[in-house]
Amino acid sequence: MARVVVDVMLKPEILDPQGQAVQRALPRLGFEGIADVRQGKRFELDLEGPADEAALARIREIAGTFLANTVIEDFVVRVEEPAEAASADNNAEEGAVR
Amino acid sequence: MTTRVGVVTFPGSLDDQDAGRAVKLAGGEPVALWHGDKDLHQVDAVILPGGFSYGDYLRCGAIARFSPVMETIIAGAREGLPVLGICNGFQVLCESHLLPGALTRNDHLHFVCRDQRLRVENAATAWTGDFASGAEITVPLKNGEGGYVADESTLDALEAEGRVVFRYLDVNPNGSRRDIAGITNAAGNVVGLMPHPEHAVEALTGPTTDGLPFFTSVLKKLVA
C-alpha cells in the first residue's frame, strides 16, 4: 500500500501565534538557540492502489480544495519511501498485537 | 405573508436557536434548515449561525462548507439569495469562497468574550439597510479564531469597493487586519462578521438591542 504525505503550513506572511507561543516556551524549558517555530499539519493518506501520477494529481486536488486553505496555507505532496512505509506498517502491527 | 428566514444547524452549531429567535423578534418566520438536507424549504434568506460546526476539525468551517445544504446555499448566494454568516458562519462563507480572505487564530491565542463596539461602514447591504452609515453599535463578540486575514491587494480592493461592512472600535480583539470585523460580497447580499448581533436583540439578555436591525434590514429588503 502506498502512502502519500501532505504537509500543510501557514504561508510565511501569515502570523502563526501558536508557533510563536511554542518558540517563547522553549527557553523556559531550557532549550536555547531556536530562532523561530512554525506549526503546521501533516496528513498521511494510504492509497488503495499505486501512487502513480493520476493518484498524485487527485491528491493535489484534495490538498488544494480541502486539506489546505490556499488563501492562508501552502501544501507539499510527497510519496513516502517504501522502506519507511514498511517500518511504519510493522510498528502498526506491533501496536495491534499489544 | 411572513418572510421566511432559514437558519442552518450543523453538528456543533450553538447559536441557531438565538438566530431563529432574533428573526422572530424582527417580525420574520424562522425556518430550521438541516446541514444534511439540500432543500432550502422556500426560504427568502439564510443565516449561518455561530458555533463549532463539525468540531472545528481541519479548519473552522472547512467541513461544513462541503455539507449538502451548503451546495444549495452557495448556488443561491451567487444568484442573490441574502446570506448572513455570523462567527462560525463567517468562517464557512470564507471557506466557501463566497467571501474573500480567511479567519485565523486570535493573535493573542486567547478565546475572547466581550461586548464589542463596532462601526457600521456600509449600510447598503441586504443585512445593514436599517443602520445609518457610520453608526456605532455594541454587540457581543466571542471567538478563538476570529483574526481576519487576506493579502494586501484583496484588503485594498475591499476598502476601495466599500466592502468592509463593520470595523472594530476601541480595541482590535483578535488581530484582524485593518480592524475588519465583517465584510460583504460585491453584490451586497452575502455578509459575514465575527461579532454576534443575534445576542443583542432584547434588553433582558443582550448588552444592547443593536443587533436587531440586521434582521429587520433583510425583512425590509425582501418585501421591497
Side-chain angles (χ1 to χ4, degrees):
Chain A
M1 191 161 58
R3 170 168 291 177
V4 178
V5 174
V6 180
D7 286 314
V8 177
M9 295 295 295
L10 282 173
K11 290 185 174 179
E13 66 270 25
I14 302 290
L15 181 73
D16 177 14
Q18 294 184 101
Q20 286 180 342
V22 172
Q23 194 260 336
R24 280 198 303 269
L26 291 174
R28 213 159 13 94
L29 302 174
F31 299 108
E32 304 290 342
I34 307 296
D36 191 26
V37 175
R38 305 276 295 170
Q39 179 177 322
K41 293 179 194 141
R42 170 187 164 114
F43 299 86
E44 296 178 347
L45 286 71
D46 291 333
L47 307 188
E48 288 172 353
D52 53 18
E53 202 33 58
L56 290 178
R58 189 82 186 128
I59 288 172
R60 275 191 281 273
E61 189 190 343
I62 293 170
T65 54
F66 188 45
L67 301 182
N69 177 350
T70 54
V71 174
I72 50 169
E73 295 169 323
D74 293 324
F75 65 86
V76 178
V77 174
R78 61 189 161 87
V79 181
E80 198 164 77
E81 292 308 314
E84 204 184 331
S87 99
D89 282 348
N90 288 341
N91 289 341
E93 273 168 28
E94 278 172 30
V97 170
R98 264 181 299 198
Chain B
M1 201 186 83
T2 342
T3 305
R4 292 163 62 83
V5 179
V7 179
V8 178
T9 300
F10 298 102
S13 290
L14 296 178
D15 300 321
D16 42 346
Q17 296 296 319
D18 275 26
R21 187 171 164 72
V23 168
K24 202 173 196 173
L25 285 168
E29 181 190 348
V31 177
L33 300 178
W34 182 239
H35 71 106
D37 183 0
K38 271 189 192 182
D39 190 347
L40 296 190
H41 302 277
Q42 295 89 47
V43 297
D44 307 295
V46 169
I47 297 173
L48 305 176
F52 298 85
S53 60
Y54 298 88
D56 272 356
Y57 291 172
L58 188 60
R59 290 178 309 278
C60 305
I63 299 179
R65 173 249 178 282
F66 289 100
S67 62
V69 74
M70 282 308 298
E71 254 179 68
T72 322
I73 291 172
I74 291 168
R78 293 203 173 114
E79 282 168 17
L81 175 75
V83 179
L84 175 67
I86 303 168
C87 195
N88 189 219
F90 185 15
Q91 294 163 337
V92 174
L93 290 176
C94 287
E95 284 284 343
S96 306
H97 306 301
L98 286 173
L99 295 175
L103 283 310
T104 59
R105 177 85 48 178
N106 295 349
D107 57 354
H108 47 71
L109 285 172
H110 297 284
F111 191 95
V112 58
C113 183
R114 63 194 307 270
D115 295 334
Q116 176 70 45
R117 276 211 325 138
L118 307 172
R119 188 170 50 241
V120 182
E121 303 218 329
N122 178 342
T125 77
W127 299 91
T128 55
D130 271 355
F131 288 106
S133 190
E136 296 185 359
I137 64 172
T138 301
V139 299
L141 173 80
K142 42 170 196 160
N143 66 68
E145 303 198 22
Y148 181 74
V149 297
D151 58 47
E152 287 299 314
S153 63
T154 303
L155 292 170
D156 289 342
L158 286 172
E159 306 256 15
E161 295 163 20
R163 290 169 55 192
V164 175
V165 184
F166 305 98
R167 228 183 281 264
Y168 296 115
L169 292 177
D170 304 332
V171 292
N172 182 329
N174 45 30
S176 290
R177 305 299 304 278
R178 305 193 191 182
D179 299 334
I180 290 173
I183 57 173
T184 182
N185 64 347
N189 62 308
V190 179
V191 171
L193 78 165
M194 285 314 292
H196 288 263
E198 82 283 17
H199 295 328
V201 292
E202 278 181 303
L204 179 65
T205 52
T208 64
T209 54
D210 290 350
L212 205 52
F214 282 78
F215 307 96
T216 55
S217 293
V218 75
L219 298 181
K220 232 175 251 177
K221 168 94 183 167
L222 288 165
V223 295

